[in-house]
Amino acid sequence: MFDRRKFIRSSAMISLAPVVPSFLAGLAQATESARGDERILVVIQLDGGNDGINTVVPLADEGYKQHRRELRLPDSELIKITSDFALNSNLRSVGQLWEQDRLSIVHGVGYPNPNRSHFESMKFWHVGSNQQEQVEQGNGWIGDSFGTRPVRLGAPHAVNVGDESMPLSLHGRRCIVTSISNPADMRLRASTVDLSERDQSSNATGLNQFVNKVVTQAYTSSRQISELTTQDSSAGYPASRLANRLKLISGMIKSDLGAQVYYTLQPGYDTHAGQLATHGDLLGELSSSLKAFMDDLRQAGLEDQVLVLCFSEFGRRVAENDSLGTDHGTAGPVFLAGTRLAQRSYGVMPSLTDLDDGDLKFHVDFRHIYASLLTDWLGLRLPTWLEGYRLDNLLA
Amino acid sequence: MSNHWKIYQPSTSLPWNVNRVRHLHRRAGLGVTLEELDRDLAAGPVISIDRVLQGTSRSQFTRDNFEEMSQVLAEAATRSDDEVRLKAWWIFRLLWTPDPLLERLTLMWHNHFATSNAKVGNLQLLLRQNQLFRQFARDKFQRLLQAVLLDPAMLIWLDSNSNRQGHPNENLARELMELFTLGVGNYSEQDVKQAAQALTGWSVKDSQARFRTEHFDSADKTVLNVTQSFDSATLADHLLNQPATAQRLAWRLCDTFMGEGVVSQPAIRELAEVLAASQLDIGRAVETILKSELFFSEANISSRISSPVEFVVGNLRSLELLDRPPSTMVLARWCSLLGQDLFRPPNVGGWAGGRDWLNARTIVGRANFAAALVAGELHTPIETPDLKQFCNRLTNSKSVPAKSGSLKNLLGRHLLSTPLPVEQEALLSDQPSELIGQLLSLPEACLC
């Protein structure tokens, strides 16, 4: 286990190491607060477009039977939650979190004029805007909100966990992000050249400045993270890729790395064909991994400091296609996990009979959720384009 | 020739020098040996660029029986059903081909029509698709697109098996319009639905594409305001005729060969016109780019992040570490580790490339690759390479002006596309292999 004392020791080493450039060394002056009530957001991107209808199932809706003939989940494969909706039975552990007031569902989340392209819709979700001009600016809803806020001893603002490229959400002019999938990958074999004399803010062109910055940051965080080992916990993580990623995140949170946002994704939700089995497996992986993660944090006494957001770029069409799958649709549910949430469900289930060209009508604009997570939860400054949005009553 | 793509002619401000020879090979080949450098410097741009275009740019470290060996390796890889061996086969081609531009274009099409073995799960089919990309790499785009639409790996990848009359699956139709031809914003949702109907009837049986009339929807479809009984082939032709397709291909080619922020929108439009006027002749457009003044402009030099394949293969060739063949399996694993897992692009959009190649993990990975390279770990069995010998050849090379300075400086110029910061030189080692390891882990080493 990478314990706190060891972390401080290695942090001190980092601040003295020649490789640390001035812009990071300056951060060492930022007060090293004792582990306090710093809040952390963990984002899980359900990649590919999750079929919300078979995730949070609208029991009472006539349209469910009508549109889902082959893909309709029988009662035996549902966990009834309220008279309105049930959970896919693969979400058993999520159901337990719900029972224990550690999980909320936001129903029917989407945005106006939905785009059914994975890339376009994901960009909107990453930026927090459905305006093309805003998307082209290239800053993400999380990345942009880290203004000049000091972070602890050269810690990154955010960590992208996994081998996928960094999501647009984390792009920001000042945002320092590290990407890791395995702490061992971060170990530098040979000593690299001292880059400390390089002027990070020089008049060098954009691309030169960029490579200077990212390479220097990478070598710095290499020293930090390669020492981190994941603790064997008794929380019972399943053997899966998502579980491993969450376990790594838990390790970083427990060792007080200092990042406020951890981002990871679970791929595979683009279920155009043979959906039932694939989708069930994905939800099962999500559910058991998420529960293990929350239990792990609970045992470490850290659960109150962490909130998890699970979202997908769109839901799927209400009517199934003829390949036992579903094509790209619109609105879907968002899961939030944590102990500080005020309500267990937000918004109302979208109707499966009152449709917009065969697609669900959204009720909650995802930007409301973003804005409340940034301000009410993380205490950050809102990106200008999210001003005016707020999900009422997010926190208890 | 047009304005934006006027032909490069050496001048006092844009001389034909070692930097431009290296630039040509970094972008259109993969690294350059000292002998090739001397040869092209003497020959001038016209002959040198033609060699690249005609597939004769490599004079060293090629193999006479290259295609035969390639075929043997490909067959062995698919027989073994070991995906790493198929990746290693492609690395073999990238390393030893006499025509590196062809491999680069094949890689471009692999990204444009990104198909992953994660779903296809059949190396034989991925190999066939890859050979198709190579066969039509420089051809008129119509031939490539029509072949791709009947390619079994593609049909499996985008769910054609389940796209049938009356119950279309939109997956292939959408990506055909969004990624392969028009680009996002140039079609409606209704167009996608109608196009999906036109693509019905095709499926894969026994590793072959087959058409079944009973699954084909022969009704009229309206796609981009034209109504007729479109099928797969006529739909493709219809899409190929749209100006947006030429525009997207022009963007793709600039994205492949040009630097960040170098090509203006009007220049892309002009290249699109070149394409549109030549029935989307890819070879013609590539020639236009590689012969242009814009390509050889200062702004375009050192203005890209190199891809993992460029970094791995390019540096091996530039350091001439090929007397003893490196392990292609080891190199394939390195490319994966650095973020370019061949035959496994991250999704249908392919690799985002550019700045996305770099993150903490891949940057540390590149530095560790450099360490492995100088330690001889890219070869099996491991054997420390004699880099001193290469350094001697470099110092005595004809292309190197006599008074051009220290070994650090010479190696820096050879391996990096941009000059070393002056203050950096003092911090570098004098020992050749250590020096090379350090140079390849500098921020500048990520640029090309």
Side-chain angles (χ1 to χ4, degrees):
Chain A
M1 168 66 181
F2 182 88
D3 66 17
R4 174 161 176 77
R5 190 169 301 150
K6 193 162 151 219
F7 173 78
I8 293 170
R9 208 167 53 233
S10 71
S11 303
M13 266 165 44
I14 290 162
S15 65
L16 296 173
V19 75
V20 175
S22 48
F23 83 105
L24 280 181
L27 298 172
Q29 292 158 11
T31 45
E32 201 239 329
S33 61
R35 163 146 247 161
D37 58 351
E38 259 178 340
R39 287 169 168 184
I40 290 168
L41 175 68
V42 176
V43 182
I44 305 175
Q45 173 176 316
L46 311 182
D47 201 59
N50 175 35
D51 182 24
I53 294 170
N54 267 9
T55 303
V56 179
V57 181
L59 277 181
D61 197 315
E62 273 304 302
Y64 187 53
K65 262 183 223 150
Q66 186 186 323
H67 293 291
R68 296 288 172 96
R69 295 196 177 92
E70 301 293 335
L71 297 187
R72 187 168 61 85
L73 297 166
D75 287 351
S76 60
E77 285 174 35
L78 292 174
I79 303 164
K80 202 172 166 195
I81 296 288
T82 68
S83 55
D84 284 340
F85 67 89
L87 291 175
N88 184 309
S89 63
N90 290 287
L91 292 171
R92 181 153 292 110
S93 303
V94 161
Q96 288 165 2
L97 289 174
W98 164 280
E99 292 297 332
Q100 299 161 4
D101 285 330
R102 297 157 77 194
L103 183 112
S104 304
I105 300 170
V106 192
H107 298 290
V109 184
Y111 56 91
N113 303 318
N115 193 306
R116 288 167 191 79
S117 147
H118 291 293
F119 308 102
E120 295 303 303
S121 193
M122 192 56 94
K123 270 192 239 164
F124 294 167
W125 277 86
H126 279 173
V127 172
S129 169
N130 61 348
Q131 302 300 310
Q132 204 57 43
E133 310 85 74
Q134 190 56 57
V135 170
E136 279 164 16
Q137 297 294 311
N139 291 319
W141 70 282
I142 296 169
D144 188 78
S145 65
F146 288 111
T148 53
R149 200 169 188 278
V151 287
R152 201 169 338 133
L153 287 173
H157 286 105
V159 181
N160 175 38
V161 175
D163 37 23
E164 295 85 6
S165 57
M166 189 176 102
L168 183 54
S169 345
L170 300 181
H171 279 267
R173 290 211 331 280
R174 306 241 175 206
C175 186
I176 300 175
V177 187
T178 287
S179 288
I180 68 165
S181 59
N182 178 349
D185 294 343
M186 290 298 290
R187 201 164 296 132
L188 274 167
R189 289 183 37 170
S191 62
T192 50
V193 172
D194 180 3
L195 301 173
S196 58
E197 292 305 307
R198 298 214 172 184
D199 185 358
Q200 301 295 327
S201 57
S202 71
N203 49 6
T205 68
L207 193 62
N208 273 309
Q209 207 176 349
F210 169 78
V211 288
N212 268 335
K213 184 178 135 185
V214 293
V215 171
T216 313
Q217 279 176 15
Y219 293 164
T220 306
S221 47
S222 149
R223 283 155 181 80
Q224 260 177 300
I225 291 171
S226 60
E227 292 186 28
L228 191 152
T229 48
T230 44
Q231 182 197 28
D232 282 326
S233 77
S234 52
Y237 285 94
S240 82
R241 183 156 64 162
L242 180 64
N244 288 340
R245 291 174 170 195
L246 291 176
K247 202 198 292 191
L248 179 54
I249 292 174
S250 140
M252 287 186 272
I253 293 173
K254 286 193 258 181
S255 51
D256 205 12
L257 183 70
Q260 269 199 289
V261 174
Y262 294 89
Y263 198 104
T264 195
L265 68 76
Q266 184 195 17
Y269 282 92
D270 196 17
T271 49
H272 285 278
Q275 171 176 307
L276 276 180
T278 316
H279 189 235
D281 288 348
L282 288 166
L283 293 182
E285 182 191 21
L286 172 67
S287 175
S288 53
S289 308
L290 180 61
K291 173 76 165 33
F293 178 67
M294 299 308 287
D295 287 350
D296 190 9
L297 292 173
R298 170 163 280 198
Q299 279 166 20
L302 294 168
E303 194 184 17
D304 293 345
Q305 286 173 236
V306 178
L307 204 151
V308 181
L309 163 75
C310 307
F311 80 96
S312 194
E313 69 266 39
F314 42 62
R316 307 195 73 83
R317 287 184 79 78
V318 177
E320 61 199 25
N321 63 25
D322 218 31
S323 11
L324 303 178
T326 47
D327 296 324
H328 303 178
T330 54
V334 156
F335 288 133
L336 297 167
T339 56
R340 303 276 196 94
L341 297 156
Q343 294 170 212
R344 290 202 295 188
S345 104
Y346 296 84
V348 292
M349 296 282 290
S351 162
L352 268 63
T353 47
D354 176 22
L355 300 176
D356 188 358
D357 192 21
D359 276 316
L360 296 178
K361 292 179 177 169
F362 81 98
H363 291 304
V364 178
D365 192 306
F366 70 102
R367 290 169 283 197
H368 292 305
I369 305 176
Y370 280 3
S372 286
L373 289 173
L374 290 174
T375 53
D376 299 348
W377 178 249
L378 291 175
L380 297 173
R381 179 185 58 81
L382 276 188
T384 49
W385 60 92
L386 286 176
E387 281 168 12
Y389 289 95
R390 188 159 190 272
L391 185 72
D392 286 334
N393 212 14
L394 175 74
L395 300 179
Chain B
M1 174 54 61
S2 49
N3 235 346
H4 293 282
W5 300 99
K6 68 171 177 245
I7 289 182
Y8 164 66
Q9 294 194 319
S11 63
T12 39
S13 58
L14 301 174
W16 182 248
N17 55 20
V18 273
N19 282 344
R20 286 200 165 74
V21 179
R22 287 188 179 120
H23 171 66
L24 173 65
H25 288 277
R26 279 195 189 105
R27 290 285 179 85
L30 288 156
V32 61
T33 67
L34 296 173
E35 191 185 290
E36 289 159 358
L37 206 54
D38 288 344
R39 178 201 63 185
D40 286 358
L41 187 65
V46 175
I47 292 175
S48 303
I49 298 166
D50 275 344
R51 270 199 277 255
V52 170
L53 292 169
Q54 287 155 16
T56 54
S57 63
R58 283 182 177 170
S59 67
Q60 255 182 311
F61 304 114
T62 55
R63 306 195 154 189
D64 295 335
N65 52 351
F66 170 70
E67 286 299 343
E68 276 165 63
M69 286 184 74
S70 168
Q71 200 178 338
V72 170
L73 288 170
E75 280 165 14
T78 51
R79 253 201 323 275
S80 74
D81 205 27
D82 177 353
E83 193 181 307
V84 182
R85 293 186 65 176
L86 193 65
K87 298 176 210 279
W89 162 76
W90 201 352
I91 298 284
F92 169 87
R93 292 196 61 97
L94 287 155
L95 268 177
W96 302 104
T97 176
D99 185 2
L101 177 62
L102 178 62
E103 295 307 311
R104 292 190 74 114
L105 289 168
T106 307
L107 203 47
M108 175 180 85
W109 295 126
H110 180 41
N111 204 28
H112 189 82
F113 296 107
T115 304
S116 170
N117 195 42
K119 177 165 172 183
V120 178
N122 184 330
L123 298 182
Q124 182 65 45
L125 295 188
L126 279 168
L127 172 66
R128 262 157 64 187
Q129 186 189 63
N130 193 266
Q131 283 163 338
L132 194 133
F133 293 157
R134 194 169 286 105
Q135 183 186 353
F136 297 116
R138 291 172 158 106
D139 213 317
K140 296 201 162 76
F141 184 64
Q142 187 211 20
R143 303 187 65 185
L144 178 59
L145 183 70
Q146 293 287 10
V148 166
L149 287 176
L150 305 185
D151 172 56
M154 179 59 76
L155 295 178
I156 293 172
W157 172 238
L158 294 179
D159 296 320
S160 288
N161 275 351
S162 50
N163 185 24
R164 293 176 180 188
Q165 180 188 13
H167 301 281
N169 182 311
E170 293 170 8
N171 212 1
L172 177 59
R174 180 179 304 279
E175 308 311 359
L176 168 63
M177 293 173 129
E178 176 177 339
L179 300 172
F180 305 164
T181 59
L182 306 173
V184 79
N186 294 304
Y187 53 87
S188 69
E189 283 302 314
Q190 198 53 32
D191 289 326
V192 173
K193 286 180 186 150
Q194 297 274 298
Q197 290 170 24
L199 296 173
T200 52
W202 286 97
S203 56
V204 178
K205 178 91 190 291
D206 301 330
S207 295
Q208 301 294 336
R210 65 163 179 178
F211 182 76
R212 293 180 63 182
T213 319
E214 66 270 31
H215 289 156
F216 174 62
D217 185 341
S218 60
D220 275 357
K221 301 108 189 162
T222 303
V223 180
L224 301 167
N225 302 319
V226 174
T227 306
Q228 67 180 70
S229 172
F230 283 114
D231 61 12
S232 174
T234 51
L235 171 69
D237 282 341
H238 182 42
L239 297 176
L240 288 164
N241 285 330
Q242 306 299 316
T245 299
Q247 184 82 14
R248 180 157 172 84
L249 289 174
W251 166 82
R252 174 62 79 190
L253 288 161
C254 291
D255 184 59
T256 303
F257 293 104
M258 301 294 287
E260 195 181 280
V262 175
V263 187
S264 63
Q265 275 306 319
I268 291 189
R269 272 201 296 278
E270 203 176 279
L271 188 64
E273 285 162 23
V274 172
L275 279 158
S278 64
Q279 294 178 289
L280 306 179
D281 188 327
I282 298 300
R284 181 81 176 278
V286 172
E287 182 179 346
T288 304
I289 293 173
L290 296 185
K291 286 187 169 170
S292 71
E293 184 177 299
L294 191 58
F295 180 78
F296 289 101
S297 66
E298 282 301 328
N300 191 35
I301 295 176
S302 196
S303 57
R304 282 174 71 82
I305 307 288
S306 59
S307 69
V309 164
E310 288 171 309
F311 185 78
V312 166
V313 179
N315 281 318
L316 269 170
R317 277 196 73 91
S318 291
L319 288 165
E320 304 183 5
L321 287 171
L322 300 169
D323 280 330
R324 212 159 63 86
S327 160
T328 48
M329 301 267 272
V330 170
L331 298 183
R333 289 202 192 92
W334 273 107
C335 289
S336 309
L337 201 73
L338 301 184
Q340 196 170 19
D341 196 4
L342 298 173
F343 299 105
R344 247 171 218 265
N347 55 45
V348 281
W351 292 278
R355 296 186 183 205
D356 277 338
W357 287 127
L358 299 184
N359 59 51
R361 189 173 54 83
T362 60
I363 290 164
V364 169
R366 286 184 186 218
N368 287 344
F369 171 80
L373 178 145
V374 297
E377 291 170 20
L378 306 180
H379 295 74
T380 38
I382 294 168
E383 189 185 300
T384 317
D386 187 356
L387 290 160
K388 208 180 271 169
Q389 213 181 36
F390 174 78
C391 291
N392 288 338
R393 286 207 299 280
L394 176 65
T395 353
N396 297 321
S397 159
K398 272 189 284 177
S399 326
V400 173
K403 55 174 174 53
S404 58
S406 65
L407 176 65
K408 292 176 185 179
N409 195 299
L410 286 177
L411 259 180
R413 282 159 184 250
H414 188 60
L415 296 175
L416 311 178
S417 57
T418 180
L420 268 182
V422 187
E423 72 277 8
Q424 201 76 73
E425 233 186 280
L427 300 170
L428 296 170
S429 168
D430 290 309
Q431 198 274 325
S433 74
E434 209 173 323
L435 173 59
I436 288 168
Q438 288 174 333
L439 286 171
L440 293 183
S441 48
L442 285 175
E444 287 76 13
C446 302
L447 299 171
C448 73

